[in-house]
Amino acid sequence: MLYLKKLIKSIGVSIIILLLVTFLITLLNYINIISLTIVNAFSYITPFIAFFTGGFLLGKNSFNKGYLEGIKFGLINIILLFIFNYLAFDQGFNIVNIILYLITIISSILGSVIGINLKNSD
């Protein structure tokens, strides 16, 4: 039960960061401070930052094997993203989504490995 709490907290932090950064970038684009090409670049950077942070928090609260925690966290996020993309946008698998899913897994793994290594050094 404690692990589930940590997992839900990490997913919640990731989603909040994802929504806040997306809102900020959209707002800056709306008032013409940044261009559409920068918005497109941030569409790949934002998930990396959000899921890295979530993986970092999960790794910081875990006891061992950060890469496995990152893989589990990344797979859960991929399932949630796939369900959202399929239901909201009626998109299946395409190359852009596969790249996004790979970014999600890699950033989750990196975040949890770094988080567990920083916890062990304290």
Side-chain angles (χ1 to χ4, degrees):
M1 190 67 178
L2 184 63
Y3 178 75
L4 189 61
K5 248 188 212 182
K6 293 175 188 177
L7 188 65
I8 290 173
K9 181 181 175 184
S10 297
I11 290 173
V13 167
S14 295
I15 290 173
I16 288 171
I17 290 173
L18 193 64
L19 290 174
L20 286 176
V21 172
T22 302
F23 176 74
L24 180 67
I25 296 301
T26 305
L27 184 66
L28 291 174
N29 183 34
Y30 181 73
I31 56 178
N32 291 327
I33 293 177
I34 60 174
S35 67
L36 189 60
T37 56
I38 295 174
V39 172
N40 289 335
F42 270 101
S43 69
Y44 293 104
I45 295 170
T46 303
F48 180 80
I49 293 168
F51 296 123
F52 179 86
T53 307
F56 181 81
L57 290 176
L58 189 63
K60 197 88 163 145
N61 294 324
S62 297
F63 297 109
N64 56 4
K65 295 188 176 140
Y67 64 94
L68 286 178
E69 297 296 326
I71 290 172
K72 287 190 276 188
F73 183 67
L75 289 176
I76 290 170
N77 285 319
I78 284 175
I79 291 169
L80 292 175
L81 286 173
F82 178 74
I83 290 171
F84 180 73
N85 280 336
Y86 187 71
L87 293 177
F89 301 117
D90 198 25
Q91 292 181 351
F93 280 108
N94 57 21
I95 192 69
V96 175
N97 288 341
I98 291 172
I99 291 171
L100 181 67
Y101 298 152
L102 288 174
I103 289 171
T104 301
I105 286 182
I106 291 170
S107 62
S108 299
I109 292 171
L110 285 174
S112 63
V113 166
I114 290 172
I116 207 160
N117 284 334
L118 287 178
K119 182 187 84 162
N120 289 337
S121 67
D122 289 344

